[in-house]
């Protein structure tokens, strides 16, 4: 992910409302997003989708450990996350 020159912040609640999905915590402020767990910075949303070799959901723990405050995934990713705990 490339970071913008100007810091952008949006609440998780506002993003969830825009997407028409539920949010577990609306007070969280999102400052970026990326699909690489290695590029996560505190405040990022981790985009965990199927890749060519594996599903990104398998890297949710690494993303969380690096500071991801939310994960956006599909139904397969949600099952993987639930399985991994």
């Amino acid at each position: 992910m490339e970071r913008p020159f100007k810091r952008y912040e949006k609440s998780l609640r506002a993003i969830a409302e825009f997407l028409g999905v539920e949010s577990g915590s609306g007070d969280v402020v999102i400052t970026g997003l990326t699909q690489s767990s290695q590029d996560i910075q505190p405040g990022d949303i981790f985009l965990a989708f199927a890749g060519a070799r594996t599903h990104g959901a398998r890297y949710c723990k690494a993303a969380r450990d690096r500071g991801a405050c939310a994960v956006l995934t599909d139904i397969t990713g949600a099952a993987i996350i639930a399985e991994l705990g």
Side-chain angles (χ1 to χ4, degrees):
M1 173 190 161
E2 293 189 30
R3 300 277 166 192
F5 290 112
K6 182 179 175 186
R7 184 172 172 94
Y8 177 80
E9 296 182 357
K10 195 78 165 173
S11 74
L12 185 56
R13 176 176 288 128
I15 293 169
E17 286 176 5
F18 176 78
L19 295 173
V21 298
E22 291 183 32
S23 166
S25 177
D27 294 334
V28 174
V29 175
I30 305 301
T31 56
L33 56 104
T34 184
Q35 64 185 18
S36 171
S37 62
Q38 295 177 346
D39 293 338
I40 290 286
Q41 292 185 15
D44 282 353
I45 292 178
F46 177 51
L47 305 175
F49 296 105
R53 296 187 186 125
T54 190
H55 200 289
R58 299 203 178 278
Y59 300 96
C60 281
K61 182 180 180 324
R64 184 186 65 211
D65 291 348
R66 291 179 187 264
C69 58
V71 174
L72 180 63
T73 193
D74 55 18
I75 194 158
T76 302
I80 291 169
I81 293 167
E83 176 186 310
L84 296 175

